[in-house]
Amino acid sequence: MAQLTNTDKHAYINTTPSAAATYARVGEGVTGITPANNPITDTKHYVNHQNPTTKVLGTAKQFALALERYKGDDANDYIAGLSEKIGTDIVTDMVFVDHHDVALETAKPAKKYEVTVIVNNDGSIVGGGAMDMDVAIHVNGDPVAGTFNESTLAFTPDA
C-alpha cells in the first residue's frame, strides 16, 4: 500500500485535433488539475417514504486547470491559443494516465476523453507575478478506457 501523489497521474492533451493525434504532457506552469464529476441526479419523494430517494443518472465531468503562462511548452501554448475561440475549434481529446505502476512502461492504464477547452482567463497581469490562466475543460460523452505508451505517446483502446 502506497500513498499516491501528484506525479502518479499524468495528463496529456492532443494539440493537433484535426490531424493524427499529437499528445503533449500537461504540466509546465500547471499548479492544479481539479476534477469534478458533477453528478446528474433524479430525486423523487415517494408518498410512502419520509425522505426522498436520489438516483445518479450520469455525470457532467469537468476539470479545472490553474496554470501560469509558460511560452514554449507545447501543452501550455496550445491551451493559451484556444482563448476567445468557439465551437469545434476548442474540441480536442485528453488522456489521463495512471503513472504509478512503473512495471507497465509501455502500456499504462489510461482513460481518453473528448473535451471542450474553455479559456476563462488567458493571463492575469499582476505586478511582480506570473500571468495566471483559468481554464475549464468539459468532458463530452463517455471516456474510452485503454492503455497509453509514454514512450511513443500513443493511446490504445481496450478491446
Side-chain angles (χ1 to χ4, degrees):
M1 182 165 53
Q3 181 181 25
L4 299 180
T5 68
N6 62 302
T7 59
D8 289 316
K9 189 173 284 275
H10 292 183
Y12 292 86
I13 191 164
N14 181 0
T15 61
T16 57
S18 60
T22 303
Y23 290 105
R25 182 162 176 213
V26 177
E28 194 64 43
V30 178
T31 57
I33 301 175
T34 305
N37 286 331
N38 301 321
I40 300 165
T41 60
D42 180 26
T43 302
K44 303 279 190 208
H45 195 149
Y46 301 114
V47 296
N48 61 332
H49 293 164
Q50 184 174 350
N51 295 301
T53 300
T54 300
K55 295 178 183 173
V56 177
L57 304 176
T59 60
K61 191 172 189 92
Q62 70 183 82
F63 299 91
L65 262 65
L67 65 153
E68 298 171 339
R69 182 68 179 100
Y70 269 79
K71 189 171 174 67
D73 177 77
D74 290 342
N76 199 301
D77 288 345
Y78 174 73
I79 292 168
L82 298 178
S83 180
E84 299 183 20
K85 292 187 177 180
I86 61 171
T88 58
D89 289 345
I90 58 175
V91 176
T92 189
D93 59 88
M94 288 188 74
V95 177
F96 288 85
V97 181
D98 290 332
H99 188 73
H100 51 83
D101 190 345
V102 293
L104 303 172
E105 186 62 34
T106 60
K108 295 193 181 289
K111 283 187 181 176
K112 182 170 92 168
Y113 300 89
E114 179 186 279
V115 297
T116 299
V117 181
I118 301 170
V119 178
N120 292 316
N121 175 347
D122 62 359
S124 297
I125 302 170
V126 178
M131 288 184 68
D132 292 329
M133 295 175 58
D134 173 30
V135 177
I137 297 177
H138 295 261
V139 171
N140 303 322
D142 296 330
V144 176
T147 58
F148 193 77
N149 183 323
E150 290 188 301
S151 297
T152 63
L153 301 179
F155 177 82
T156 304
D158 287 347

